[in-house]
Amino acid sequence: MKPLLLHGHERSITQIKYNRDGDLLFSSAKDTKPNVWYSLNGERLGTYNGHGGAVWCIDVDWETKHFISGSADNSLRFWDCETATTLSKYETKTAVRACGFSYCGTSIMMTTDRQMGHDCFIFIYDIREDSKEPILSVPVKGPKVTAALWGPLDQFIITGHENGDLCQWDTKTGEQVKTVHEHTKHINDLQMYKDQTMFVSASKDHTAKVDR
């Protein structure tokens, strides 16, 4: 097995994601420009230009038609995958820390930082509507969210927090359903298994754990 070394970012990597078919790899970094690569040979296919700050989070839909990226420039951008054109821009009051497409592909969620007197929030948007107003807005009063993903069948959102907590939120009511303390430090990333029966959480406490 020969590893591929992908040269494209000028600052540290913040997140990487495969598309559903596994033939494309998307990456983001603190250098403001997400990239997309052919996973087979490591060739860079393109760059998404538009952000003015570090890009903390990215996701791609199941059809590899749309791509989203959340940034420290207080915005989430909704892109056309093929043309790298910004189709929509969602502006926030603080940095966007986590984002993701729903399982059904009709909604996106994002979380924002607690900064400059503003609370940490979870937002859900219906991308079928030509509106910048969220269909759900949930203030997070406890430790701020550092990672997030959709649960099975879009029934809830799972968030990882700076103190190591994992929380579950109802996507209809915004109610915090469950909280467990699985890590002792900041949770860096959450990734769902392909059949959505379990997920893995990675933390600054030097551990990664599989959770159901």
Side-chain angles (χ1 to χ4, degrees), residues 53-106:
V55 179
W56 294 117
C57 55
I58 54 175
D59 199 18
V60 58
D61 68 8
W62 276 43
E63 297 177 334
T64 318
K65 183 178 179 181
H66 296 126
F67 172 73
I68 54 175
S69 55
S71 172
D73 66 5
N74 300 352
S75 75
L76 180 138
R77 287 179 179 260
F78 183 77
W79 308 82
D80 181 285
C81 265
E82 185 176 358
T83 65
T85 302
T86 299
L87 301 177
S88 191
K89 181 181 178 182
Y90 300 85
E91 297 191 5
T92 61
K93 294 180 180 179
T94 59
V96 178
R97 183 62 58 171
C99 65
F101 282 98
S102 64
Y103 179 83
C104 66
T106 62

Side-chain angles (χ1 to χ4, degrees), residues 89-133:
K89 181 181 178 182
Y90 300 85
E91 297 191 5
T92 61
K93 294 180 180 179
T94 59
V96 178
R97 183 62 58 171
C99 65
F101 282 98
S102 64
Y103 179 83
C104 66
T106 62
S107 300
I108 57 174
M109 67 85 180
M110 66 177 170
T111 71
T112 58
D113 273 349
R114 181 180 293 110
Q115 294 174 333
M116 300 175 289
H118 298 291
D119 282 337
C120 174
F121 271 86
I122 301 170
F123 295 110
I124 297 178
Y125 294 86
D126 188 332
I127 58 177
R128 297 169 298 180
E129 300 178 359
D130 187 20
S131 172
K132 298 299 189 298
E133 293 300 318

Side-chain angles (χ1 to χ4, degrees), residues 84-204:
T85 302
T86 299
L87 301 177
S88 191
K89 181 181 178 182
Y90 300 85
E91 297 191 5
T92 61
K93 294 180 180 179
T94 59
V96 178
R97 183 62 58 171
C99 65
F101 282 98
S102 64
Y103 179 83
C104 66
T106 62
S107 300
I108 57 174
M109 67 85 180
M110 66 177 170
T111 71
T112 58
D113 273 349
R114 181 180 293 110
Q115 294 174 333
M116 300 175 289
H118 298 291
D119 282 337
C120 174
F121 271 86
I122 301 170
F123 295 110
I124 297 178
Y125 294 86
D126 188 332
I127 58 177
R128 297 169 298 180
E129 300 178 359
D130 187 20
S131 172
K132 298 299 189 298
E133 293 300 318
I135 58 175
L136 185 68
S137 175
V138 182
V140 180
K141 298 300 183 182
K144 76 173 184 178
V145 177
T146 54
L149 53 74
W150 289 87
L153 303 178
D154 305 339
Q155 295 177 342
F156 53 84
I157 287 172
I158 302 166
T159 54
H161 297 256
E162 62 182 346
N163 70 335
D165 281 353
L166 290 170
C167 298
Q168 193 179 92
W169 307 82
D170 188 293
T171 55
K172 301 297 184 184
T173 65
E175 178 185 0
Q176 185 174 338
V177 179
K178 185 178 181 181
T179 301
V180 293
H181 190 69
E182 288 292 336
H183 292 280
T184 59
K185 292 183 180 180
H186 177 119
I187 293 177
N188 293 320
D189 198 15
L190 301 172
Q191 294 293 330
M192 186 68 72
Y193 186 59
K194 60 183 178 180
D195 67 1
Q196 297 199 318
T197 59
M198 63 187 76
F199 66 95
V200 63
S201 56
S203 169
K204 283 188 176 180

